[in-house]
Amino acid sequence: MRLAVNIDHIATLRNARNEGDPDPVEAALLAERSGASGIVCHLREDRRHIRDNDLERVRASIRTKLDLEMAMTPEMQAIAIRTRPELVTLVPEKREELTTEGGFAIKTFFEPLVEFIKPIRDNGILVSMFVEPEEEAITLSREAGADIVELHTGPYSLCKTEAEHERELERIRKAARFARSAGLAVVAGHGLNVRNIAPFREITEIEEVSIGHAIIARAAFIGLPAAIGEILDLIRR
Ligand code: PXP
């Protein structure tokens, strides 16, 4: 199973000072050197983390693959075609949400989705749909022309009890099997972390997981001793 790393929250941290550090491009290159199979950025309508210039620089710098997460808007369609990521992942987007909430409402937006996907695929960009682990959403993704489904693991990540976890995992397992047999590539993401990722090893249909917040958050702690040590070395010299 591969790991795609989402670097949005490096940009969140950079934007806290609105200067150059930490640079999302440096994070992307470091993620690649550390074994990531791809780099994910979500260019949101309000540009709250990744900005247009970040996206351009990431595109020009990385060597693995770029997954541009985006909403189904004409602006994003034009940016995708201009930027040429290896794939786009279509997500629902609400201005007021803190992070993506829920899978793409594919039944509601099926007709415009078909129109939206076509020029993207015609430009050689794969399309992934971020959907709930449900058969209907998967079937509609395939019918709309998608290549990949990303199963939404947010609800799984929020489960409290063992029984809840098992129920949600079973939903994901079944959806992964169904999507694979429908000819789609299957990935998964949202809310995955060191405490809840292990069972995914056994779901062989899932080729890749996409993780952002937990990796960046944990890096702050695992990397903190080295960052403090560097300064101490310099001031004690
Ligand atoms: N996949 C999709 C489609 C997302 O929108 C996000 C959040 O940006 C992720 C994966 C990563 O989620 P997290 O940051 O919780 O790891």
Side-chain angles (χ1 to χ4, degrees), residues 6 8-9 42 69 89 91 99-100 130 150 189-192 210-214:
N6 178 315
D8 291 347
H9 295 304
H42 185 174
E69 275 183 20
T89 297
V91 296
T99 182
T100 315
F130 182 58
E150 178 173 337
H190 210 279
L192 297 176
S210 170
I211 305 185
H213 186 264

